[in-house]
Every structure is written in C-alpha cells, then in structure tokens.
Amino acid sequence: MKQYHCPVELTLDVVGGRWRVLILAHLKQGPLRYGQLRRLIPDVSEKMLTQRLRELEADGLVLRDATHEPELRTDYRLSPEGETLAPVLQGLYDWGLARAERTGVVVTPPGD
Amino acid sequence: MKQYHCPVELTLDVVGGRWRVLILAHLKQGPLRYGQLRRLIPDVSEKMLTQRLRELEADGLVLRDATHEPELRTDYRLSPEGETLAPVLQGLYDWGLARAERTGVVVTPPGD
DNA sequence: CAGAATCCGACAAGATACTG
DNA sequence: CAGTATCTTGTCGGATTCTG
C-alpha cells in the first residue's frame, strides 16, 4: 500500500516514467498497432513497449484487441478512462512545443 | 545532443522523474523554503530535494534567493518560465484528484 | 507481425553522517 | 536551517535471442 500525499503523485504513478506518457500521447490521436507505435517512438525497445503497454492495460487506460485472422494484428487505443487524460497530454504536448521554440530546440518527427 | 521526436519528450526532460513535478506543483502555490518543501514532500531525501532543485534552477524554472541575515534562510519560487507550466501542473493535479475519487484511493496531506 | 525470456549495465534514489 | 559528501541499493531500460 502506497501513501499519497498529493494528487499529483497519483497521476505520476500512471503517466510517470519515460515511455508511458509518450505512448498515451500517440494513442490519443487514434488507435495504433504495435509496429506503428514502435515507429512513432523509435527509441523504445520492444521489451519496454510491451511492458509499458501491459501496465497501461492493467491500469485501465489502454484497451487492446488482437486478432489472428487473417493474420496476427493488434490494435491499442485509449479506454474511456484513458480519454480523460487527453487534456493533460495536450498540455504536456503544447508546453513542450512552446519550450522548444523558446529554447531553439528542434523536434524531428519520425517521418521516415 | 539529444534527438526529440515528439514535443512531449521535451516536457518530460524538464518535469520527468519522480520529484521534479512534485516540487514544481508545490512551488506553484507560492514561494517555499527548503524545510517547508521537505515537509510537504515527506518521502524525498535531502539529497534528492537539493539535487532536483539545482536542476530546476539550471533549467530556468525555479529561482532561489538565500539570505544569511539575520539567519540562514532560502526561498524557492517559480521563475516566469516556470509559471508557464502552471496549467500543466494544474492538469496533473486535477486528474490525480479525479482518479483518486474514481478508484477510491485516499490522499493524505502531510498535515501531521 | 507481435510478442516472451533472459541477462546485464547505468543511473535514480535511499541511508547515513557531517558542515557553516 | 539549509545544505554537502559518500556509500549502497533498486529500478529502469538496453541488447539479444527465441516463438506462434
């Protein structure tokens, strides 16, 4: 049992770490397949991506539907609970963008 | 030189990790002294608190003014740049609060 | 394609003791 | 009060190999 002294800690439990927020931010745009996520987040390893997706699933933020027909294929998308994070994710995105402009940092979309 | 593929990564560099967001969220309420921060974030060690405060200072998000007269005393507060994070911090706070209610988790303010 | 399993290193974080 | 210094531990994440 963990003790929370501030609501922010709760949010951090869910979106904390290096990858979770990134995954959620991409899924916010719409459902994505495993391979698509990998391409959108080029620096994540398969292990991390799978691990974080499982955790997000367990936390009820992400839904997963897999089919094996005609071939193996898995879609991930935000659950209703996950959708409630949209404003937060948007805020993180917007601030990052503005900060990039202020500091002259370049953001390179993985458009390859 | 780090490669950013998504603006969110930039935000994470600044508010990422376990303590930074927490520190910023408290400073958002107004200037605080070192000891006050420690009490508000009971689980942080002195080392971590100092280290994170130095980083936030270096990133230009937090300002520090120390006096030695009549006694040693240091105030930390958000810089103008740090203030731009206010909506983000508020978003994280609000979502955590709502999530706590939905999941029945109790948040215990360090008011003891 | 979408993973699981294992091994390993780096760094974040904790504990403790000491200082102006 | 507001730190610094040192040592140790734990967790996160990378690399690689294997599978239905």
Side-chain angles (χ1 to χ4, degrees):
Chain A
M1 297 292 120
K2 189 176 171 183
Q3 273 271 54
Y4 295 98
H5 303 283
C6 173
V8 172
E9 295 182 81
L10 240 121
T11 309
L12 249 56
D13 266 4
V14 169
V15 303
R18 181 160 174 212
W19 305 115
R20 279 194 267 257
V21 152
L22 235 40
I23 295 171
L24 291 168
H26 285 295
L27 290 181
K28 174 172 168 294
Q29 312 294 107
L32 288 171
R33 296 177 47 197
Y34 183 83
Q36 294 181 299
L37 275 169
R38 281 227 62 186
R39 279 186 292 281
L40 288 170
I41 314 175
D43 292 339
V44 76
S45 67
E46 298 189 347
K47 173 187 162 187
M48 283 301 112
L49 183 53
T50 303
Q51 209 167 96
R52 296 292 97 84
L53 281 169
R54 295 286 171 278
E55 293 169 359
L56 290 170
E57 229 191 313
D59 286 342
L61 299 172
V62 162
L63 297 177
R64 179 189 132 98
D65 21 47
T67 49
H68 289 263
E69 326 170 4
E71 8 175 293
L72 186 48
R73 177 191 189 91
T74 311
D75 275 294
Y76 293 94
R77 59 195 166 90
L78 293 188
S79 70
E81 173 82 6
E83 302 276 10
T84 67
L85 264 174
V88 174
L89 299 170
Q90 190 65 47
L92 294 169
Y93 185 96
D94 292 343
W95 192 86
L97 200 56
R99 169 90 169 174
E101 285 168 14
R102 280 194 297 270
T103 59
V105 172
V106 183
V107 178
T108 324
D112 37 83
Chain B
M1 296 292 118
K2 189 176 172 184
Q3 273 270 56
Y4 295 98
H5 303 283
C6 173
V8 173
E9 296 183 79
L10 239 122
T11 309
L12 249 57
D13 266 5
V14 168
V15 303
R18 181 160 174 210
W19 304 116
R20 278 195 268 258
V21 151
L22 235 39
I23 295 170
L24 291 168
H26 285 294
L27 289 181
K28 174 172 167 293
Q29 313 294 107
L32 288 171
R33 295 173 50 193
Y34 183 84
Q36 294 181 298
L37 275 170
R38 281 227 61 187
R39 279 186 291 281
L40 289 170
I41 313 175
D43 292 339
V44 76
S45 66
E46 298 189 347
K47 173 187 161 188
M48 283 300 113
L49 183 54
T50 303
Q51 210 167 94
R52 297 292 95 86
L53 281 169
R54 294 286 170 278
E55 292 169 0
L56 290 170
E57 229 191 312
D59 286 341
L61 300 171
V62 163
L63 298 176
R64 179 190 132 98
D65 23 47
T67 50
H68 289 263
E69 326 167 6
E71 6 174 296
L72 185 48
R73 179 192 188 90
T74 311
D75 276 294
Y76 292 95
R77 60 196 165 89
L78 293 188
S79 70
E81 173 82 5
E83 302 276 10
T84 67
L85 264 174
V88 174
L89 299 171
Q90 190 65 46
L92 294 169
Y93 185 95
D94 293 342
W95 192 86
L97 199 56
R99 168 90 168 174
E101 285 168 15
R102 281 195 296 271
T103 59
V105 172
V106 183
V107 178
T108 324
D112 36 84

